[in-house]
Amino acid sequence: MHCTMDDLLALRDGEASAPAQRHLAECAECRNEYDLLHQRVAALRALPAVRPPRDRWESIRAVVGQERGRRRGRIVRWGSLAAAAVAVLAVSVTVMRMRAPTDASAADLQALIQQSQQIEEALRAYDPTSRVLNGRAASAVAELEDRIALVDMGLSEAQNRGAARDELMDLWRQRLQLMDELVRVHVTRAAYVGL
Amino acid sequence: MATAMLAALDDLAIQRAKTGDLDALERVFRAYEGTVYTMARRICRTSEDAEDVLQETFLEICRSIGTLRGTEPGSLTAWVKRVATSKALMRVRREQYRDADELREEDPVAGRRGPDVALQLDLETALERLSDRARAVVWLHDVEGYTHEDIAEMMGMTVSFSKSQLARAHARLRGWLGRELV
């Protein structure tokens, strides 16, 4: 009795029974079918790549922009400029300390979260409507807020699926670095307009 | 995928993409759009479905790339393909609810080698003629290199069902293609 397709696939994958292996060795017709199987798979792998008929990036970018815009208002309330200046120092020290962790302990993760909360509090009292942003600073702030919102989405998703502590710490570190940049933008802008 | 595109995606670009930088995310898109669309087009029934899979895949990547471990192109490639596969299989499942998938194949040769028949199809046409699930299993196992265990997990079925789908698909392809692989 000749090999079935199940037998031929098992032979290819090294899972065939001894009788099937013996039969293949003895039967020219089954060896031919076995060769055809290999040729068919090779032909599948050689099928040409297909290009999408339209460029989808702009629509993807538009959707991502809309999603970030909806989240932007929820992420940060601004603290006083003095608090922001203090936060620059606090964040810088924190980020430098956390940049190369050696142990993903619960205490390290908690420290990152606490630092984030302290910076949020320091920034909360700041009223952005009472300050004037130049165009470049406004653009940089918007970009950084977008990126913080994205990290927040990642954190939310990671926490919901019970991600490992290393992964959460990586995200918190990214968030602190971005907030560090955000505070620096405000300090630079403040110095520029003499506030 | 073009070698130049992979080379352009260095660790720094991936790190920037992970912080949400849109220019870096576009570089990721440009590097992988061909790979993702080709896989989606081979698994899905229509080019419209494949385009939707392409868009859904990269929306997911833009939203979740911050959770990716590491910045090596290899880990990014594996993750992108996994996301794309998941989206394509979701599309296949959706289509199965919409109509009777198994009615698409006509000849009853499951589990046996097909005979040489007069009807000779080219490989792409024969692939499209398979049922959605059989086509997905053939592509994921024999081209993308996923194991039956991976496929069973992704498709929500058993390993033995994945194996039987693969045997059934090859039996049909053998019958439709005969000895000619065009």
Side-chain angles (χ1 to χ4, degrees), chain A residues 85-120:
Chain A
V86 171
V88 169
L89 183 60
V91 173
S92 299
V93 170
T94 302
V95 170
M96 285 175 66
R97 197 180 62 189
M98 297 299 176
R99 200 160 270 161
T102 56
D103 178 34
S105 70
D108 287 339
L109 177 60
Q110 192 58 36
L112 281 169
I113 295 171
Q114 283 176 353
Q115 287 294 334
S116 179
Q117 290 169 341
Q118 288 168 8
I119 295 159
E120 295 270 2

Side-chain angles (χ1 to χ4, degrees), chain A residues 139-175:
Chain A
S139 173
V141 165
E143 169 71 11
L144 286 166
E145 287 177 3
D146 282 348
R147 293 166 70 180
I148 291 169
L150 192 77
V151 173
D152 284 348
M153 289 168 65
L155 270 170
S156 174
E157 189 275 333
Q159 284 164 348
N160 285 340
R161 64 176 161 79
R165 192 177 297 142
D166 280 346
E167 183 179 335
L168 292 172
M169 289 187 68
D170 186 41
L171 286 165
W172 278 108
R173 263 183 233 111
Q174 287 178 34
R175 193 177 198 280

Side-chain angles (χ1 to χ4, degrees), chain B residues 4-180:
Chain B
M5 291 303 295
L6 259 185
L9 265 184
D10 53 18
D11 287 7
L12 184 59
I14 295 170
Q15 186 61 50
R16 284 179 55 219
K18 286 178 70 173
T19 66
D21 183 302
L22 283 171
D23 290 337
L25 284 167
E26 181 176 4
R27 286 173 64 186
V28 173
F29 175 80
R30 298 298 173 204
Y32 290 102
E33 63 175 325
T35 302
V36 169
Y37 183 77
T38 297
M39 190 274 291
R41 186 66 194 89
R42 296 301 180 204
I43 290 178
C44 298
R45 283 187 202 172
T46 68
S47 59
E48 288 79 13
D49 282 346
E51 280 191 87
D52 287 347
V53 168
L54 176 67
Q55 176 150 337
E56 289 165 10
T57 297
F58 280 97
L59 280 174
E60 179 73 31
I61 286 164
C62 289
R63 290 172 186 139
S64 305
I65 195 169
T67 66
L68 175 69
R69 302 294 306 276
T71 57
E72 303 81 17
S75 61
L76 178 63
T77 299
W79 182 61
V80 168
K81 291 176 86 167
R82 192 85 181 191
V83 172
T85 302
S86 172
K87 298 294 180 188
L89 293 177
M90 282 174 62
R91 175 76 42 171
V92 166
R93 280 197 291 271
R94 206 176 304 161
E95 292 299 316
Q96 283 174 338
Y97 284 119
R98 198 173 294 166
D99 58 25
D101 172 59
E102 297 305 319
L103 295 178
R104 298 187 70 235
E105 296 174 3
E106 280 112 22
D107 63 34
V109 294
R112 292 186 285 117
R113 292 186 335 216
D116 288 325
V117 292
L119 177 62
Q120 295 284 309
L121 303 175
D122 68 67
L123 184 56
E124 286 187 281
T125 306
L127 192 63
E128 288 179 4
R129 201 172 176 214
L130 291 171
S131 74
D132 290 346
R133 277 187 299 199
R135 188 172 56 249
V137 171
V138 167
W139 194 262
L140 294 177
H141 188 276
D142 286 351
V143 179
E144 301 292 341
Y146 286 104
T147 64
H148 284 296
E149 286 75 14
D150 291 333
I151 294 167
E153 183 186 341
M154 289 189 290
M155 296 184 78
M157 56 192 193
T158 63
V159 170
S160 61
F161 187 78
S162 176
K163 288 183 176 180
S164 70
Q165 285 286 310
L166 186 65
R168 176 189 175 106
H170 270 291
R172 293 185 189 286
L173 291 174
R174 170 67 180 86
W176 293 333
L177 295 167
R179 296 177 186 280
E180 298 296 323

